[in-house]
Amino acid sequence: MSAGPENMPRYAPVTRLLHWIVAVMVIATFPIGVIMLTEGLARPTQDFLFILHKNGGVIILFLVLVRLVWRVISPAPPMPATLPPLQAKLARAAHWALYALLLVMTFSGYIRVRAGGFPIEMLDAMGVPSLVPRSDSLAETAQFIHANARFALALLIVGHIGAGVYHLLRKDGVFARIWPPLGKGSQ
């Protein structure tokens, strides 16, 4: 007897909550990062957006690290038997690629800021010293990585959202594995 969509194993509530918090933060960080670099933007507005972007990145890094530790403690539920093997492989690869790119983005952003000699207000307020030396060449390399990895991350996010919408419309129970963020709700 196969499990119907309503009986499909779901992610743990902590996993679901972390997923949606990170999703909202990452999606919000993209336009902030673009707008903060706009020519002619008023300096106070630009400073505010830089602070949001940098400190949002710190929070995202922390949450992604928590997610990875949590993933070891609470592994993902098995893929539905009804999912074609290629889709299951692509889903696993996409999830790990998302983790990797989120780490690349947060670390490269951190290195770009710190090697460039700029503050990260949240870390500074907590007394966390810079973990990288002041270096223009290191800052430039990190900036190049940060600026270019965003395109791969954006493509993966669009693909991930597309897959979620596909499964939501199919009502096959796959989307319900991660939604809602808390509670027992269904598709």
Side-chain angles (χ1 to χ4, degrees):
M1 174 170 112
S2 68
E6 65 281 351
N7 298 332
M8 195 168 293
R10 301 185 63 198
Y11 286 92
V14 170
T15 304
R16 297 192 320 259
L17 183 62
L18 286 169
H19 172 274
W20 289 103
I21 291 171
V22 170
V24 167
M25 289 194 68
V26 169
I27 290 169
T29 301
F30 267 97
I32 292 169
V34 171
I35 295 167
M36 71 187 196
L37 299 174
T38 303
E39 290 288 326
L41 192 63
R43 190 63 194 192
T45 302
Q46 188 178 41
D47 289 345
F48 176 72
L49 293 174
F50 267 100
I51 289 168
L52 279 179
H53 190 77
K54 292 183 295 182
N55 293 290
V58 170
I59 294 168
I60 291 168
L61 173 59
F62 173 76
L63 291 173
V64 169
L65 293 174
V66 168
R67 276 194 77 181
L68 288 169
V69 169
W70 179 251
R71 180 108 186 214
V72 170
I73 295 168
S74 178
M79 292 282 187
T82 57
L83 202 62
L86 179 60
Q87 276 188 27
K89 284 180 185 173
L90 287 173
R92 274 190 219 83
H95 287 147
W96 288 110
L98 281 166
Y99 286 129
L101 281 169
L102 287 171
L103 291 174
V104 166
M105 289 299 291
T106 55
F107 282 123
S108 64
Y110 174 87
I111 293 168
R112 189 280 175 255
V113 170
R114 289 304 206 185
F118 300 104
I120 299 178
E121 293 75 9
M122 180 185 297
L123 297 179
D124 292 345
M126 293 188 303
V128 177
S130 178
L131 302 176
V132 296
R134 172 80 176 86
S135 165
D136 289 338
S137 63
L138 181 59
E140 288 173 20
T141 301
Q143 183 176 7
F144 177 82
I145 292 167
H146 195 73
N148 289 290
R150 68 184 168 157
F151 297 114
L153 180 59
L155 281 173
L156 265 174
I157 290 170
V158 167
H160 188 65
I161 292 170
V165 169
Y166 169 80
H167 289 292
L168 179 65
L169 294 175
R170 286 197 60 205
K171 297 184 181 192
D172 60 6
V174 173
F175 185 78
R177 291 162 37 98
I178 199 72
W179 183 261
L182 291 173
K184 293 185 169 217
S186 65
Q187 271 177 271

